[in-house]
Amino acid sequence: MAEKQSDKTPHILLFPYPSQGHMNPIIEFGKRLISKGVKVTLITTIYISNTVISHNNDTTSLEIQAISDGFDEHGYAGASSSDDYLKKFKEVGSKSLGDLIKKLRSEGSSINAIVYDSFITWALDVAIEFGINGGTFFTQACAVNNIYYHVYKGLIPVPSVSSVSVPGLPNFEYWETPSFVHNYGPYYYPSWTEIVFNQFTNIDQARWVFTNTFYKLEEEVIEWMKKMWPMKVVGPTLPSMYLDKLLEDDNDYGINLFKANHNEYLNWLNEKPKGSVVYVAFGSNAKLGREQMEEVACGLNDSDVNYLWVVRGEEKGKLPKEFVELKTEKGLIVSWCKQLDVLAHESVGCFVTHCGFNSTLEAISLGVPVVGMPQWTDQSTNGKCIEDIWGVGVRVKADEKGMVTRANIVSCIKEIMDGERGVVAQKNARKWMELAKEAVSEGGSSDKDMDGFICDLKQ
Ligand code: UDP
């Protein structure tokens, strides 16, 4: 039986899309709200609850409730395709979310708001049905949201074959727009395309529009979006101990969908000289082709630097044989790590990333210069921002077949580790790091937007 809350304590439900990159920002948002006196319930799927959360003690500060996505036994892996998953998630999830609201209410819990991932627009329909205010939470950059909005409005043709111009941003070459806008390549999933463009279908009914970015990072585009929607800019949503250090226990996102052997890579990093290690990771979803894996492996080897490379279990089979269990003085391959611990480690001097938005914000917030190697979705746009707008790194260049050669990887790593561009990127990254800390610290822009949200809840 849920504890009866005081009449004055606002209670919100947080509903992230059930993947690592989407859960992390909303979990941290929740922890900040708890520290400000809000009661928070995190909604996840029965599968994640049973397989991950029940085996993990880190998540105690968030109360968790599980709903069905239609794949209780195997999660996403149980679906025949992403279309199958997303369709069932909506069908079964809507009903299950409604049942949860009824259950919580019958236990005496009032619910002041539901904040849902902008990919799950149907959660707002459920909230409205129950007379609850809804807030959509964009986990991607405002630059990306802005481009999607213009596609949604029919102002950018898809597929885009020429440069794109939207308010608050410089021109983007067509290949710098998100992959759903310009490229029907190997990552083309019709249902994902629909999801990203349709984030705006019911946005005008949302009481709040949250984004995981910070004001100074995307000032112009945020100002433009503010004219249309009640924006709350609340990022970067890294655990507090990596930013303002206000929440003493908050040093990890808390829900890890992948397993890691932390001692192994931390010990390895501890033995390396300051700034000497290239950290390589492509997030929780990207799938590199076999040939591309070989180019990355040989590029790292040829770079003559120390490198720590995350290759998820299901990707390992594509590695050249000699790299599969690599653990040498110079190189270590692991299947997952606590990325924040790694980026914050003094031996790390450069981050080769797929430019997922969490990874991008983490690099910026920890002052680590970047080599961007975008794969799909918003990553090409984040890569453009990394290099040309925020000035924190360089991007690799794919050849006409979409392949990034080992020689190109070597030269990008050298530029950042030894070249003038690395010096500038590091200087810029450190500047953004200070501004990120300022935004989330007491009285900073993100902190104020969070307080504004809490004020709204109390009215
Ligand atoms: N991450 C991690 N360990 C790893 C690789 C990634 O903890 O070995 C985390 C990373 O810190 C980030 C998230 O997983 O918060 C990945 O999100 P991102 O948006 O960068 O990429 P996605 O996985 O959504 O493609």
Side-chain angles (χ1 to χ4, degrees):
M1 184 86 162
E3 212 178 290
K4 269 211 166 179
Q5 69 208 73
S6 123
D7 286 346
K8 291 201 184 98
T9 311
H11 176 208
I12 68 161
L13 306 185
L14 290 183
F15 187 16
Y17 179 81
S19 74
Q20 190 76 63
H22 284 253
M23 291 175 79
N24 286 356
I26 292 188
I27 289 171
E28 285 309 316
F29 176 59
K31 291 184 196 164
R32 292 263 172 192
L33 290 173
I34 292 173
S35 77
K36 288 173 179 288
V38 177
K39 178 175 158 66
V40 171
T41 302
L42 182 81
I43 301 175
T44 191
T45 62
I46 290 174
Y47 170 73
I48 290 181
S49 175
N50 287 348
T51 54
V52 180
I53 294 169
S54 54
H55 302 293
N56 186 330
N57 299 322
D58 296 340
T59 54
T60 43
S61 63
L62 291 181
E63 185 176 315
I64 295 184
Q65 291 283 346
I67 66 167
S68 179
D69 57 358
F71 298 93
D72 299 345
E73 256 186 68
H74 300 292
Y76 192 85
S80 58
S81 62
S82 53
D83 294 9
D84 181 30
Y85 183 79
L86 292 167
K87 197 163 156 250
K88 271 237 179 82
F89 184 30
K90 179 176 178 178
E91 243 169 59
V92 179
S94 298
K95 179 169 181 318
S96 196
L97 177 60
D99 290 345
L100 173 66
I101 294 169
K102 284 185 216 154
K103 181 188 98 152
L104 291 172
R105 282 183 167 169
S106 75
E107 291 170 351
S109 232
S110 61
I111 300 166
N112 301 76
I114 300 182
V115 175
Y116 56 92
D117 191 305
S118 59
F119 283 11
I120 320 177
T121 48
W122 49 262
L124 181 58
D125 302 333
V126 178
I128 290 170
E129 188 190 324
F130 284 87
I132 301 170
N133 277 321
T136 183
F137 192 113
F138 285 86
T139 61
Q140 298 186 332
C142 284
V144 171
N145 303 331
N146 193 351
I147 294 173
Y148 286 151
Y149 177 71
H150 282 79
V151 172
Y152 171 71
K153 283 293 192 185
L155 300 168
I156 296 176
V158 172
S160 225
V161 290
S162 54
S163 73
V164 161
S165 160
V166 291
L169 289 168
N171 267 12
F172 280 67
E173 295 302 330
Y174 75 91
W175 50 271
E176 293 170 329
T177 64
S179 66
F180 300 117
V181 179
H182 76 268
N183 175 11
Y184 286 81
Y187 287 100
Y188 177 59
Y189 302 112
S191 45
W192 279 117
T193 309
E194 221 175 276
I195 292 258
V196 297
F197 296 153
N198 287 340
Q199 293 176 94
F200 306 93
T201 46
N202 56 4
I203 192 170
D204 293 330
Q205 292 169 272
R207 173 78 175 78
W208 306 275
V209 174
F210 298 94
T211 62
N212 176 24
T213 182
F214 56 103
Y215 185 75
K216 293 223 167 119
L217 190 68
E218 297 203 89
E219 190 168 341
E220 283 179 46
V221 64
I222 290 170
E223 280 301 329
W224 182 80
M225 290 173 85
K226 270 188 172 172
K227 290 184 194 138
M228 286 190 298
W229 301 303
M231 301 284 291
K232 297 281 177 213
V233 183
V234 297
T237 54
L238 271 69
S240 172
M241 288 311 283
Y242 293 94
L243 289 167
D244 56 330
K245 302 191 175 15
L246 206 68
L247 316 186
E248 274 176 24
D249 295 334
D250 185 21
N251 51 20
D252 184 43
Y253 289 112
I255 297 181
N256 285 294
L257 304 184
F258 302 84
K259 289 204 179 87
N261 176 354
H262 303 303
N263 287 338
E264 183 187 29
Y265 61 81
L266 286 174
N267 289 340
W268 185 90
L269 282 174
N270 286 341
E271 284 163 13
K272 300 291 172 273
K274 196 171 168 185
S276 73
V277 175
V278 174
Y279 168 60
V280 189
F282 299 103
S284 59
N285 270 311
K287 295 171 184 63
L288 274 62
R290 193 174 286 274
E291 198 185 332
Q292 186 62 82
M293 282 291 246
E294 184 168 343
E295 289 307 302
V296 174
C298 296
L300 291 172
N301 201 44
D302 295 353
S303 291
D304 207 24
V305 288
N306 297 318
Y307 62 91
L308 170 63
W309 183 8
V310 177
V311 181
R312 299 187 317 274
E314 76 266 21
E315 290 284 285
K316 278 223 162 123
K318 296 182 216 160
L319 280 171
K321 245 199 241 130
E322 62 276 25
F323 283 85
V324 175
E325 297 295 335
L326 187 79
K327 188 183 177 183
T328 63
E329 267 300 295
K330 202 177 132 196
L332 177 65
I333 291 185
V334 296
S335 55
W336 194 249
C337 69
K338 287 195 176 180
Q339 180 159 296
L340 290 164
D341 278 357
V342 172
L343 288 174
H345 199 286
E346 65 167 15
S347 68
V348 171
C350 165
F351 181 16
V352 177
T353 169
H354 69 314
C355 306
F357 195 49
N358 292 294
S359 296
T360 301
L361 282 177
E362 289 162 8
I364 283 175
S365 303
L366 294 163
V368 181
V370 164
V371 171
M373 191 168 158
Q375 300 298 304
W376 72 305
T377 177
D378 58 335
Q379 294 151 20
S380 30
T381 305
N382 300 336
K384 157 81 172 176
C385 296
I386 283 170
E387 181 168 330
D388 288 348
I389 304 181
W390 303 325
V392 295
V394 297
R395 278 170 293 177
V396 297
K397 283 182 191 56
D399 65 17
E400 60 289 347
K401 286 188 286 172
M403 188 61 51
V404 179
T405 61
R406 63 191 75 181
N408 186 230
I409 292 168
V410 172
S411 92
C412 287
I413 288 176
K414 278 208 167 13
E415 262 186 290
I416 290 295
M417 293 295 273
D418 306 325
E420 187 51 35
R421 288 193 78 177
V423 177
V424 175
Q426 186 164 62
K427 199 167 146 230
N428 286 331
R430 292 209 169 129
K431 174 193 82 180
W432 290 119
M433 175 172 86
E434 292 311 319
L435 293 171
K437 281 184 190 160
E438 192 181 294
V440 299
S441 296
E442 216 174 326
S445 56
S446 298
D447 186 60
K448 278 192 195 151
D449 271 10
M450 237 179 258
D451 288 344
F453 168 54
I454 296 170
C455 256
D456 291 348
L457 289 176
K458 288 181 174 163
Q459 272 165 16

